[in-house]
Amino acid sequence: MKLFQLIFRVVFSLAIAFAISLSSSVIYFNYSGYNYAIDRFMLVGVTTLAFGFLIYLIFPQAWAWITQQKPAHLIIFGSFALIASAITVFPAGTSRVYWLGMISFALALFTLMAPAMQSLKRISSSRSDVQYLISFLLSLLFTYGAMGYLSGTMYARHHVMTFAAVYTIAGSISGYYLVRRASRSLKNGFLSKPLNLFLTLTLPVFFVAMLLVSLNFPSMFPIGYIKVPGEWIDLYLCSSIVAGAWGVVLLEQIEKRGLYQAFRKTRLFGFIKDNLPGIYAGFMTFLVNVILARAINSLRFNIHSIIFEADAEPWLNIMGYPEGYDVNRAVHPLVLITMRPFTRFIGIFMGENWFLSPMISIAIVSGVTVLMAWIFLKRAVQNDTSAFIFSILFGVTASHLLFGSITETYVFGMASLIFFLLLIQADEKRFSVLVPAGLLVFGITITNIGQSMVELFFKKFGFWRLVRYGFLVLASGIVLTAFVSMIYPGNQTFFYVPQDILFEARFSQPIYASPMEQLTKRAQVVGRTIFLYGTLAPTPIEDYTGKQTDMPIIKFKTYNYKDDIVAWYEGVANIPLVLWILLMAMSVLFFIKNIRTQDTPLLLSLLGGLAFNYFLHMNYGDEIFLYSAYFTFLPVFFVAVALKDLAERNWFNIFLTVFLLMVMVNNARFIFIIMRGLAPYFALG
């Protein structure tokens, strides 16, 4: 028996060693380049004997180690190693020797992963191994997409390997805790309610739908934007798989040293725990908008003032161009010390592909606004399901989908306004907090300070305190604008210099200077945009006037003043339109009914913001939809808070969910129409 075991051990060791040596010699060591048989024999034979001897020595320990492991874990590790090996070796295969190479490489990968097997075995209680496997697979998917998106920023093999390893480990470990949390939530938490689970699943479905819409126009969004280049696929997969295995070791150390338990005691953990639905909704919104941003914004094709008059191309340069770019718009006095530093910080990691940083920063802020919307609504409505529905609704509004993707100021302005609204909701009275927050609002677009002050007034801030606050913000804004002009000489104009601010007069026409018929038409356009278009997109007007290329170029509008054409809703889009009007009407009735409740000051603040925007845009703006990011959240929030008495009713939440799905479909079509119109020009560019 011992003789048989010895023979088996020797034969097995030599067989494995021969497979490694022959395949390595053919693939890596220029086997065919040697002309004499003795050289080839020595190249393969000596290596075989060396490997065989070492394998023979470690065979007993290796066999003993294998018998101690769970078969399922061995199969999982072996399968991943084999898959990675096949993807690495097969594309270069020119003979059957590469089969041996695949086996050899799989053994090498398995060996690199093997030390993590004991850690996986120790954490496998309570199905932790399954939860970690799920998180690893998800991180593998996200890492793949991220590497494809950022492929232009990586130039060397070690860049790819480091990126894949770091992202996979970070994603696997954080994902493990999130999957574990979701598992518990399915039993007795937020996800235990079928409607909440359904809503949670709608977001990845919507993301996939928007991804498919983008991929439908390869001139705008080729598959290469989310695909790892072929020459990197082996590095990505091998690095990710090995890193994922070693993530188990790191996870065990985190648990063993009590790091996670210590983190549980922090305020950050409490915030994450209390706001996981909002964080999830914000993250999925970020994924949607980062895809749309990559599709819509381009350096190859100037899309200046084409999409509802948005200045996408200049702001792409203002935010991201390393050498700087002129703002020369007095209404945005502090963007060079607010928006640009944030974007350029991201640009540090983008290398020569600086144009990605504005796209990513816009998408990040769009996701943050959804998280802030969740926090606001959760406080106000005090029902997680209703707050989750309205947070998702806000994230998929037409305004948020479009201006959370276009490189412009609007999503930053929206974020500053919602943040200020959170301070108002929390009854913040300290100038040390309100003045910096007001400067952020004012510095991105000066007119927005009026909206924030109106909202502050209705929260009983006090008239004279409000006057003092206004002067503090104005004086600080003047000083900071001068400071910006010293840092960036010649890049920024002054909102307090008549010549500079009068540039904006080209976009304004005071209501007293308009005839009654035109005034009535203007009131209708502004009303439709504020209450309808921002939330539920109409079919946009496709105007081909003017020439910026060799052919008439498309311009998207919601109202063509020249021909008196109004964007409206077609076919089944009228169903969600009627439902949204019904919801707004119900919210007004409930507001009047509950006029003496504690929610009244907050609701008045929201109405005050709407009234301010209505008055402002009766006097200012050609394409009112362009400014919809500054007010679309107001009617959504108003409806949610005014109807909070219905939030506990399951039938009402089901009704809202049906409406939400209709809004998703309608606004996805809106984005599709815009891409369909732009795609031919991107192809020319």
Side-chain angles (χ1 to χ4, degrees):
M1 187 68 178
K2 290 184 178 180
L3 178 61
F4 176 77
Q5 291 176 347
L6 178 63
I7 294 172
F8 174 77
R9 181 176 167 185
V10 170
V11 172
F12 178 82
S13 301
L14 289 174
I16 297 297
F18 178 75
I20 295 172
S21 300
L22 180 61
S23 59
S24 300
S25 298
V26 172
I27 298 173
Y28 300 110
F29 304 150
N30 194 26
Y31 176 85
S32 60
Y34 291 95
N35 298 322
Y36 299 104
I38 185 62
D39 294 324
R40 296 181 179 181
F41 176 79
M42 294 299 290
L43 179 66
V44 177
V46 171
T47 313
T48 298
L49 291 175
F51 271 114
F53 177 69
L54 294 175
I55 294 172
Y56 177 85
L57 290 178
I58 66 172
F59 184 86
Q61 293 83 359
W63 183 257
W65 178 84
I66 289 173
T67 57
Q68 294 172 3
Q69 308 308 315
K70 288 186 175 182
H73 293 170
L74 290 170
I75 292 172
I76 291 171
F77 274 47
S79 298
F80 278 120
L82 198 60
I83 291 169
S85 178
I87 292 175
T88 301
V89 175
F90 273 178
T94 57
S95 68
R96 293 182 180 179
V97 175
Y98 281 79
W99 285 85
L100 292 177
M102 184 189 74
I103 296 171
S104 304
F105 194 64
L107 285 172
L109 287 175
F110 186 86
T111 303
L112 289 172
M113 298 162 62
M117 194 82 74
Q118 289 298 109
S119 296
L120 184 61
K121 182 180 178 181
R122 285 191 288 267
I123 70 164
S124 61
S125 59
S126 304
R127 298 184 63 81
S128 294
D129 51 350
V130 176
Q131 292 168 355
Y132 184 83
L133 177 62
I134 293 172
S135 68
F136 166 69
L137 291 173
L138 290 174
S139 69
L140 203 64
L141 181 63
F142 284 122
T143 301
Y144 182 91
M147 284 192 69
Y149 198 94
L150 301 173
S151 59
T153 66
M154 289 173 265
Y155 309 102
R157 297 174 70 86
H158 67 274
H159 292 162
V160 178
M161 295 171 68
T162 302
F163 184 94
V166 170
Y167 265 65
T168 302
I169 288 178
S172 297
I173 293 176
S174 58
Y176 164 76
Y177 289 109
L178 291 173
V179 170
R180 189 171 73 174
R181 178 74 181 174
S183 177
R184 294 173 181 173
S185 182
L186 282 167
K187 296 177 182 178
N188 53 14
F190 179 79
L191 295 178
S192 62
K193 296 181 179 180
L195 185 59
N196 292 345
L197 180 60
F198 176 79
L199 288 165
T200 301
L201 295 175
T202 60
L203 285 171
V205 172
F206 184 69
F207 165 72
V208 172
M210 297 311 299
L211 177 60
L212 292 176
V213 167
S214 301
L215 290 171
N216 195 57
F217 303 102
S219 64
M220 300 178 69
F221 195 87
I223 187 67
Y225 282 175
I226 54 168
K227 183 179 179 182
V228 175
E231 64 271 20
W232 290 358
I233 192 69
D234 54 343
L235 295 174
Y236 147 73
L237 196 56
C238 294
S239 301
S240 295
I241 287 175
V242 173
W246 280 91
V248 180
V249 179
L250 183 57
L251 176 62
E252 184 187 26
Q253 291 301 311
I254 290 172
E255 293 285 342
K256 185 178 180 180
R257 297 176 185 273
L259 298 179
Y260 179 67
Q261 293 304 319
F263 178 61
R264 286 176 61 89
K265 298 176 183 178
T266 63
R267 294 180 64 181
L268 177 59
F269 178 85
F271 174 82
I272 294 172
K273 180 182 177 182
D274 294 339
N275 296 290
L276 267 177
I279 294 171
Y280 170 74
F283 177 69
M284 294 307 300
T285 300
F286 159 74
L287 291 182
V288 170
N289 284 122
V290 84
I291 292 296
L292 296 181
R294 191 73 171 96
I296 293 175
N297 301 286
S298 174
L299 290 174
R300 294 183 297 113
F301 172 60
N302 186 334
I303 55 174
H304 176 53
S305 299
I306 291 174
I307 306 176
F308 306 102
E309 301 295 333
D311 297 332
E313 187 259 344
W315 282 104
L316 182 70
N317 289 289
I318 292 168
M319 288 190 284
Y321 192 55
E323 284 73 27
Y325 201 83
D326 292 345
V327 177
N328 289 331
R329 292 290 299 275
V331 289
H332 309 295
L334 304 181
V335 292
L336 293 177
I337 58 170
T338 54
M339 290 167 48
R340 181 171 166 82
F342 172 65
T343 304
R344 285 305 305 150
F345 173 76
I346 297 173
I348 293 173
F349 308 97
M350 298 297 110
E352 295 180 2
N353 288 29
W354 59 266
F355 54 86
L356 289 176
S357 58
M359 302 177 194
I360 295 172
S361 65
I362 288 287
I364 290 173
V365 176
S366 75
V368 171
T369 58
V370 172
L371 171 58
M372 290 194 292
W374 155 265
I375 295 171
F376 176 88
L377 293 167
K378 184 182 179 183
R379 287 179 186 172
V381 179
Q382 299 177 351
N383 179 277
D384 286 358
T385 300
S386 181
F388 193 46
I389 293 172
F390 278 102
S391 299
I392 298 173
L393 175 63
F394 167 65
V396 300
T397 56
S399 177
H400 200 284
L401 282 177
L402 186 60
F403 295 109
S405 306
I406 289 180
T407 50
E408 256 273 17
T409 59
Y410 298 107
V411 74
F412 287 91
M414 179 205 308
S416 68
L417 286 167
I418 295 177
F419 176 69
F420 199 89
L421 196 58
L422 283 173
L423 296 178
I424 293 175
Q425 184 187 38
D427 205 27
E428 181 61 65
K429 294 291 197 299
R430 293 170 296 176
F431 280 179
S432 60
V433 175
L434 291 175
V435 170
L439 281 171
L440 184 63
V441 172
F442 178 83
I444 294 174
T445 303
I446 61 174
T447 52
N448 284 344
I449 193 63
Q451 177 175 332
S452 64
M453 290 183 68
V454 168
E455 293 167 355
L456 200 58
F457 171 79
F458 282 106
K459 279 290 286 184
K460 301 178 181 179
F461 188 67
F463 177 76
W464 291 113
R465 294 188 81 240
L466 190 63
V467 170
R468 183 187 175 200
Y469 164 79
F471 277 112
L472 278 172
V473 171
L474 180 62
S476 302
I478 292 171
V479 171
L480 285 174
T481 301
F483 176 69
V484 169
S485 296
M486 286 187 286
I487 299 176
Y488 300 97
N491 291 121
Q492 175 67 57
T493 53
F494 302 89
F495 68 89
Y496 48 87
V497 174
Q499 178 179 325
D500 292 341
I501 197 64
L502 284 175
F503 174 82
E504 303 300 322
R506 60 189 293 192
F507 305 113
S508 64
Q509 182 177 355
I511 55 176
Y512 61 78
S514 303
M516 182 56 66
E517 182 180 353
Q518 185 177 341
L519 190 63
T520 303
K521 179 65 71 174
R522 178 78 176 186
Q524 294 173 352
V525 170
V526 173
R528 280 193 296 264
T529 307
I530 290 178
F531 296 106
L532 301 180
Y533 292 170
T535 303
L536 189 71
T539 300
I541 299 168
E542 300 179 47
D543 185 16
Y544 287 88
T545 58
K547 287 190 177 184
Q548 296 181 18
T549 64
D550 294 336
M551 64 180 70
I553 198 165
I554 193 171
K555 281 196 173 186
F556 291 100
K557 300 179 179 180
T558 56
Y559 180 54
N560 187 330
Y561 286 89
K562 181 180 179 181
D563 300 322
D564 195 24
I565 301 174
V566 179
W568 200 240
Y569 301 87
E570 298 178 354
V572 294
N574 286 283
I575 299 175
L577 172 64
V578 171
L579 296 180
W580 179 234
I581 294 173
L582 176 63
L583 282 170
M584 288 192 292
M586 289 173 59
S587 66
V588 172
L589 292 176
F590 271 75
F591 168 68
I592 296 172
K593 174 188 172 185
N594 302 319
I595 193 69
R596 298 185 183 277
T597 64
Q598 61 181 3
D599 294 321
T600 299
L602 183 60
L603 288 168
L604 285 173
S605 293
L606 297 173
L607 288 175
L610 287 168
F612 171 82
N613 278 285
Y614 201 101
F615 175 78
L616 173 66
H617 293 299
M618 282 294 294
N619 295 272
Y620 180 83
D622 293 333
E623 175 55 68
I624 309 302
F625 186 75
L626 177 64
Y627 312 99
S628 59
Y630 294 156
F631 50 72
T632 295
F633 63 91
L634 294 171
V636 174
F637 289 4
F638 181 85
V639 170
V641 178
L643 299 180
K644 63 180 290 186
D645 291 348
L646 300 177
E648 298 292 339
R649 308 289 180 86
N650 196 48
W651 66 266
F652 181 66
N653 288 328
I654 292 174
F655 169 78
L656 288 176
T657 302
V658 172
F659 170 68
L660 172 64
L661 295 176
M662 292 181 180
V663 172
M664 284 180 167
V665 173
N666 180 82
N667 293 345
R669 175 179 175 270
F670 172 68
I671 297 296
F672 176 85
I673 291 172
I674 291 173
M675 287 190 176
R676 182 185 63 190
L678 293 177
Y681 306 104
F682 274 70
L684 290 174

